[in-house]
mmCIF file of all heavy atoms in Angstrom:
data_model
loop_
_atom_site.group_PDB
_atom_site.id
_atom_site.type_symbol
_atom_site.label_atom_id
_atom_site.label_comp_id
_atom_site.label_asym_id
_atom_site.label_seq_id
_atom_site.Cartn_x
_atom_site.Cartn_y
_atom_site.Cartn_z
ATOM 1 N N GLY A 139 59.782 30.204 195.233
ATOM 2 C CA GLY A 139 59.221 31.260 194.354
ATOM 3 C C GLY A 139 60.229 32.278 193.966
ATOM 4 O O GLY A 139 59.836 33.316 193.468
ATOM 5 N N VAL A 140 61.476 32.216 194.398
ATOM 6 C CA VAL A 140 62.470 33.202 194.106
ATOM 7 C C VAL A 140 62.520 33.408 192.617
ATOM 8 O O VAL A 140 62.612 34.631 192.265
ATOM 9 C CB VAL A 140 63.838 32.849 194.777
ATOM 10 C CG1 VAL A 140 64.886 33.824 194.408
ATOM 11 C CG2 VAL A 140 63.694 32.905 196.261
ATOM 12 N N CYS A 141 62.460 32.348 191.891
ATOM 13 C CA CYS A 141 62.585 32.620 190.448
ATOM 14 C C CYS A 141 61.374 33.264 189.820
ATOM 15 O O CYS A 141 61.424 33.934 188.765
ATOM 16 C CB CYS A 141 62.574 31.252 189.650
ATOM 17 S SG CYS A 141 61.225 30.139 189.989
ATOM 18 N N ARG A 142 60.265 33.433 190.578
ATOM 19 C CA ARG A 142 59.126 34.237 190.220
ATOM 20 C C ARG A 142 59.037 35.602 190.717
ATOM 21 O O ARG A 142 58.129 36.334 190.654
ATOM 22 C CB ARG A 142 57.817 33.446 190.618
ATOM 23 C CG ARG A 142 57.529 32.157 190.012
ATOM 24 C CD ARG A 142 56.217 31.594 190.339
ATOM 25 N NE ARG A 142 55.759 31.743 191.650
ATOM 26 C CZ ARG A 142 55.930 30.812 192.730
ATOM 27 N NH1 ARG A 142 56.504 29.722 192.440
ATOM 28 N NH2 ARG A 142 55.433 31.041 193.940
ATOM 29 N N GLY A 143 60.128 36.076 191.399
ATOM 30 C CA GLY A 143 60.310 37.378 191.842
ATOM 31 C C GLY A 143 59.950 37.617 193.338
ATOM 32 O O GLY A 143 59.974 38.617 193.835
ATOM 33 N N LEU A 144 59.701 36.352 194.024
ATOM 34 C CA LEU A 144 59.361 36.558 195.464
ATOM 35 C C LEU A 144 60.768 36.783 196.308
ATOM 36 O O LEU A 144 61.811 36.405 195.841
ATOM 37 C CB LEU A 144 58.670 35.289 195.951
ATOM 38 C CG LEU A 144 57.287 34.915 195.476
ATOM 39 C CD1 LEU A 144 56.837 33.651 196.083
ATOM 40 C CD2 LEU A 144 56.408 35.968 195.798
ATOM 41 N N LEU A 145 60.451 37.410 197.461
ATOM 42 C CA LEU A 145 61.577 37.487 198.344
ATOM 43 C C LEU A 145 62.063 36.117 198.853
ATOM 44 O O LEU A 145 61.092 35.202 198.902
ATOM 45 C CB LEU A 145 61.196 38.333 199.620
ATOM 46 C CG LEU A 145 60.904 39.748 199.416
ATOM 47 C CD1 LEU A 145 60.305 40.341 200.771
ATOM 48 C CD2 LEU A 145 62.199 40.556 198.964
ATOM 49 N N SER A 146 63.307 35.933 199.109
ATOM 50 C CA SER A 146 63.600 34.662 199.656
ATOM 51 C C SER A 146 63.080 34.454 201.099
ATOM 52 O O SER A 146 62.537 35.417 201.615
ATOM 53 C CB SER A 146 65.259 34.420 199.774
ATOM 54 O OG SER A 146 65.647 35.392 200.838
ATOM 55 N N GLY A 147 63.053 33.206 201.498
ATOM 56 C CA GLY A 147 62.429 32.932 202.833
ATOM 57 C C GLY A 147 63.098 33.737 203.883
ATOM 58 O O GLY A 147 62.466 34.326 204.790
ATOM 59 N N ASP A 148 64.424 33.886 203.831
ATOM 60 C CA ASP A 148 65.097 34.665 204.935
ATOM 61 C C ASP A 148 64.904 36.183 204.822
ATOM 62 O O ASP A 148 64.722 36.950 205.834
ATOM 63 C CB ASP A 148 66.721 34.432 204.723
ATOM 64 C CG ASP A 148 67.161 33.012 205.253
ATOM 65 O OD1 ASP A 148 66.338 32.327 205.961
ATOM 66 O OD2 ASP A 148 68.178 32.652 204.799
ATOM 67 N N GLN A 149 64.764 36.581 203.558
ATOM 68 C CA GLN A 149 64.395 37.997 203.401
ATOM 69 C C GLN A 149 63.111 38.348 203.941
ATOM 70 O O GLN A 149 62.832 39.422 204.597
ATOM 71 C CB GLN A 149 64.455 38.414 201.910
ATOM 72 C CG GLN A 149 65.973 38.530 201.320
ATOM 73 C CD GLN A 149 65.966 38.757 199.893
ATOM 74 O OE1 GLN A 149 65.106 38.290 199.120
ATOM 75 N NE2 GLN A 149 67.016 39.418 199.365
ATOM 76 N N TRP A 150 62.086 37.529 203.585
ATOM 77 C CA TRP A 150 60.749 37.652 204.119
ATOM 78 C C TRP A 150 60.655 37.530 205.605
ATOM 79 O O TRP A 150 60.023 38.324 206.261
ATOM 80 C CB TRP A 150 59.844 36.462 203.538
ATOM 81 C CG TRP A 150 58.510 36.566 204.143
ATOM 82 C CD1 TRP A 150 57.441 37.251 203.669
ATOM 83 C CD2 TRP A 150 58.034 35.781 205.308
ATOM 84 N NE1 TRP A 150 56.381 37.033 204.637
ATOM 85 C CE2 TRP A 150 56.743 36.013 205.553
ATOM 86 C CE3 TRP A 150 58.665 34.815 206.101
ATOM 87 C CZ2 TRP A 150 56.026 35.531 206.584
ATOM 88 C CZ3 TRP A 150 57.891 34.278 207.096
ATOM 89 C CH2 TRP A 150 56.577 34.619 207.371
#
Side-chain angles (χ1 to χ4, degrees):
V140 169
C141 61
R142 296 189 316 266
L144 294 178
L145 294 173
S146 72
D148 289 338
Q149 289 172 326
W150 172 85

